[in-house]
Amino acid sequence: MAASDEVLSQVLRSPPSSPHPITYQWLLPNTRGLDNFFKVMDGFVKPSQDTYPTPPPSPPHDSGPALHTSNSDAMQQDSQSMSNERNGHKHEVSIFLAATEAFSKKNTNCSIQESLDRFAPLMSSSRAQGIPVRAYISVALGCPFEGPETDPHVVADLAVKLLEMGADEISVADTTGMGTAPRTGKLLRTLSEAGVRNEDLALHFHDTFGQALLNTMVSLDHGIRTFDSAVGGLGGCPYSPGATGNVATEDLVYMLHSLGAKTGIDLDEMCRIGEWITTEIGKGNASSAGRATLARLRREEHEGSANSINIHDLTSLGSNKTKKVLKNARIELTHIALSRTHGNDLEGE
């Protein structure tokens, strides 16, 4: 997080092109981080092209107040300063605390209550500036220091307190990947009994023990519709020994599409992104769906290239035999295209 301000500055100066607005989340450990965040955000206020120009000054002989003058430029700057939008994209701040005392002290060097006290002014300042706040509750389904039986009532109590403090969303995190289907279900029921709405929750699963997708299914059945993931299964936590990365976005999307859910995500492109980023940082691609999809894409590209070469060569011959082969090739290629389209329709419904 040491270079977060540089990353934020770059995003504000040169935002990536996107057909839809991107929401950036900035993880802030304390008020110092929030101050740096506001400093960078306030330093970038793009003038609006829709504001009215300020009228010319009053004539020199008029000693009275200028009539019909406008402070719209200043109002526009104040409006943008108190908004989470810059260059058409949205920005949110994220905070994190733990559901066990041992992990809290290892991760943030303070108790759970001290974490709440520390984040209260940060959340208040963020909301005053129009910046949404997302709060993470770590080790909600198991702690590397206190074991797998994290008390669900502690998690629910923290979620209620954070919402009352002004959090816009609570991400309940299985940081260690210890979560199981029965304990995930129990935690979600406890949250509901405490008055926490499904709309205010996101689930954040790690796949250390291969349970992330199963726990996602349990959450879907409970009514949760927001899930965290990472391309290529990247991620992890230095204070959770042995924990692997987040559930892979590719695996999550593949499963959701198989259930008929609409995600708006192009799985093929997501798999290409996963391959690119894991290669760039020298990590293995942990996504099973990603690796399988990439293998299919390479095979299709190879077959498409071979068919193009064969069709080109055969066309130059111009024989009846060639025409018959070309006819068969067209039928086969059309069938592949229809199958692919049909598959996408099924995934998108």
Side-chain angles (χ1 to χ4, degrees):
M1 290 183 285
S4 294
D5 55 342
E6 297 177 20
V7 177
L8 174 57
S9 296
Q10 179 63 29
V11 168
L12 294 175
R13 284 196 307 268
S14 305
S17 60
S18 172
H20 307 289
I22 299 171
T23 298
Y24 294 94
Q25 293 183 348
W26 305 94
L27 191 62
L28 305 177
N30 48 44
T31 53
R32 180 181 176 185
L34 182 68
D35 291 341
N36 290 336
F37 173 80
F38 284 147
K39 182 178 179 180
V40 176
M41 289 286 282
D42 292 343
F44 184 89
V45 179
K46 186 175 181 180
S48 172
Q49 301 299 320
D50 299 328
T51 57
Y52 293 103
T54 302
S58 300
H61 65 270
D62 185 357
S63 58
L67 300 178
H68 306 298
T69 56
S70 170
N71 63 347
S72 59
D73 289 342
M75 291 175 63
Q76 178 67 20
Q77 180 164 338
D78 289 343
S79 175
Q80 291 196 44
S81 296
M82 296 186 66
S83 168
N84 68 326
E85 291 193 17
R86 295 292 187 280
N87 272 343
H89 301 302
K90 297 181 179 181
H91 297 265
E92 301 178 356
V93 299
S94 299
I95 62 171
F96 55 93
L97 66 166
T100 67
E101 292 292 351
F103 194 86
S104 182
K105 287 171 180 162
K106 285 281 187 181
N107 196 23
T108 58
N109 198 32
C110 66
S111 67
I112 296 175
Q113 185 57 51
E114 287 171 337
S115 287
L116 288 169
D117 295 340
R118 178 183 297 176
F119 286 126
L122 186 153
M123 295 173 70
S124 178
S125 297
S126 297
R127 291 187 63 80
Q129 293 289 329
I131 306 294
V133 178
R134 190 184 216 232
Y136 290 81
I137 301 177
S138 302
V139 295
L141 285 163
C143 173
F145 309 109
E146 295 188 16
E149 301 294 336
T150 299
D151 188 345
H153 294 91
V154 171
V155 179
D157 181 60
L158 284 173
V160 170
K161 288 178 178 177
L162 288 165
L163 289 169
E164 290 176 345
M165 289 166 62
D168 295 275
E169 184 177 59
I170 308 295
S171 180
V172 180
D174 181 18
T175 312
T176 61
M178 293 180 181
T180 61
R183 285 193 284 111
T184 298
K186 182 178 180 181
L187 174 58
L188 291 170
R189 289 191 297 273
T190 304
L191 286 162
S192 294
E193 292 164 1
V196 180
R197 304 180 307 168
N198 287 341
E199 308 92 272
D200 295 326
L201 290 174
L203 270 293
H204 180 111
F205 293 116
H206 285 241
D207 207 28
T208 311
F209 293 93
Q211 300 300 297
L213 292 180
L214 178 58
N215 293 335
T216 299
M217 285 291 295
V218 172
S219 304
L220 284 169
D221 287 343
H222 187 81
I224 304 298
R225 293 297 180 266
T226 303
F227 299 89
D228 297 342
S229 62
V231 289
L234 296 174
C237 177
Y239 296 99
S240 181
T244 58
N246 297 80
V247 61
T249 303
E250 303 94 314
D251 295 349
L252 180 61
V253 171
Y254 182 86
M255 185 193 77
L256 292 173
H257 285 180
S258 74
L259 298 173
K262 293 181 179 179
T263 66
I265 294 173
D266 185 326
L267 182 58
D268 288 358
E269 290 304 313
M270 185 62 67
C271 293
R272 291 188 178 102
I273 292 170
E275 180 183 40
W276 168 77
I277 189 61
T278 52
T279 300
E280 285 291 312
I281 64 176
K283 296 283 187 179
N285 189 340
S287 170
S288 298
R291 296 193 304 272
T293 300
L294 289 167
R296 172 180 61 78
L297 290 172
R298 292 189 185 101
R299 184 177 66 251
E300 290 176 356
E301 289 170 3
H302 175 74
E303 291 173 352
S305 175
N307 282 330
S308 297
I309 294 171
N310 290 338
I311 291 172
H312 174 75
D313 291 344
L314 289 168
T315 302
S316 64
L317 298 177
S319 65
N320 291 331
K321 181 179 179 181
T322 299
K323 293 176 183 178
K324 182 177 180 181
V325 172
L326 280 172
K327 182 179 179 180
N328 292 337
R330 281 198 298 272
I331 293 172
E332 183 179 357
L333 290 172
T334 303
H335 175 70
I336 292 171
L338 285 174
S339 297
R340 197 181 309 162
T341 302
H342 182 59
N344 284 342
D345 288 343
L346 287 174
E347 290 172 358
E349 290 177 355

